[in-house]
Amino acid sequence: MALRRNTPALVILFALFGALVIIPMSTGFFIDYWWFREIGFDVLFTRTLTTRLLLFAGVAVVTALLVQVNLAFAQRGVVPDSMRLQLGATDRHVDLTAGVRNFTRPASIGTGVIFGLGANVLWDVVLQALNATPFGVVDPVFSRDIGFYVFTLPAVSALLSVFTSLTTLILIMTGVVYFLRGDIVLAPRRLRIEPLAGMHLAILLAL
């Protein structure tokens, strides 16, 4: 019954979304495609679009899987000392540890989408690396072709930047999970960390 009552509102929302977002985006897409086809560079348009889609999908899936695996590993086994939050002066408590478990999958998907959108703008760097052309001139220090610094090195730098950002984010998220589980305890003048949690965090920190 509630769904039927809200049906007109949902229809209106989808119509507004289509009118304000989908239609302008699709219009710009077809205009660009027709313009590239008219000048004989439709292959360039489709290759750029395919590269951007593959970049988004690949980085999003890999990121989501890495976040999911690390957070799931951090939540294995029995919780030694779950953290509970008291609501005001009442006797009601909120189990933060259980809440984090329910938040794992949405966090993984959200992080994957964010990193996928971030990597999507690197399409030109990727295409330059895939279509690198040697200059025929070698630098006197490392004996590498100049084309390496123009085409390949920016892609390597971007890959390392994405990897470092992702690993740092996973380290922070995993540390929060271990803290809420009680595997990390902040005691006066000392810090107690469970051995497996410490090993996991140390590996992420080393990466």
Side-chain angles (χ1 to χ4, degrees), residues 34 79 89 111 148 150 159 178:
W34 287 331
V79 179
T111 306
F148 170 80
V150 176
L159 177 62
Y178 278 128

Side-chain angles (χ1 to χ4, degrees), residues 111-205:
T111 306
V113 171
I114 292 174
F115 271 80
L117 292 174
N120 180 46
V121 300
L122 300 174
W123 61 269
D124 53 341
V125 178
V126 173
L127 285 179
Q128 287 178 3
L130 294 177
N131 298 277
T133 303
F135 278 47
V137 179
V138 178
D139 79 281
V141 179
F142 299 105
S143 299
R144 286 185 177 274
D145 189 271
I146 301 300
F148 170 80
Y149 302 100
V150 176
F151 302 113
T152 307
L153 187 59
V156 175
S157 178
L159 177 62
L160 290 177
S161 178
V162 172
F163 177 76
T164 303
S165 301
L166 177 59
T167 308
T168 303
L169 181 61
I170 293 177
L171 175 64
I172 296 174
M173 297 172 69
T174 306
V176 171
V177 171
Y178 278 128
F179 177 75
L180 295 178
R181 282 175 49 90
D183 292 312
I184 298 178
V185 179
L186 298 175
R189 297 184 179 181
R190 71 187 185 94
L191 176 65
R192 182 174 64 83
I193 304 178
E194 294 295 325
L196 287 178
M199 183 178 297
H200 186 191
L201 295 175
I203 292 174
L204 291 175
L205 186 61

